[in-house]
Amino acid sequence: MEQPNLNYINELSGDNFEFKNKLIGILKKELPIEIAIYAEQFKNTNLILASQSVHKLKHKISILGLEKSYYIAEEYERNLKKNTTNLEPDFENILKIMQEFVNHL
């Protein structure tokens, strides 16, 4: 499986370490909250709301350079809208990898 990276954040921030740290801080703050919201919606089988959370999380997936994972999330979002949970284990794995990476920043 692909690994998260800071390439996009580094590209955005250039030599501005203050801006880079601010972006990382936002990731560290928002990612666990967004994952928790998604998990609660999924647990309550509110798949439409869960799909909206997946949509928001796709942006974090993209920021962390997970190109293949982005397409999995996109397909999973469509599945949830169709009331099916296909790809849920794959998406959960993506979230776990992202969370572990962000926790170590």
Side-chain angles (χ1 to χ4, degrees):
M1 178 147 237
E2 64 187 334
Q3 293 300 308
N5 61 70
L6 295 177
N7 294 346
Y8 181 70
I9 290 175
N10 289 334
E11 188 178 310
L12 271 179
S13 59
D15 292 332
N16 188 336
F17 294 109
E18 185 177 322
F19 182 62
K20 177 181 175 179
N21 288 334
K22 189 172 194 160
L23 290 174
I24 290 171
I26 291 168
L27 265 177
K28 289 179 119 176
K29 179 182 175 189
E30 290 182 358
L31 184 63
I33 294 168
E34 290 179 15
I35 290 173
I37 291 169
Y38 156 78
E40 186 66 24
Q41 292 164 338
F42 187 83
K43 183 178 97 176
N44 292 331
T45 61
N46 193 332
L47 300 185
I48 294 299
L49 285 179
S51 74
Q52 292 170 1
S53 288
V54 170
H55 182 80
K56 284 183 75 175
L57 284 159
K58 286 189 322 188
H59 299 290
K60 303 286 189 300
I61 292 168
S62 180
I63 287 169
L64 291 174
L66 298 168
E67 293 178 31
K68 293 175 187 168
S69 297
Y70 182 88
Y71 293 110
I72 291 169
E74 199 168 51
E75 182 66 25
Y76 182 54
E77 178 186 0
R78 281 193 292 272
N79 289 345
L80 290 171
K81 288 178 182 177
K82 295 175 186 173
N83 208 34
T84 179
T85 59
N86 291 348
L87 295 176
E88 187 264 338
D90 295 327
F91 186 72
E92 293 286 335
N93 192 43
I94 292 165
L95 295 180
K96 181 181 175 207
I97 290 168
M98 289 171 52
Q99 188 65 63
E100 288 173 358
F101 180 78
V102 169
N103 286 345
H104 290 97
L105 290 176

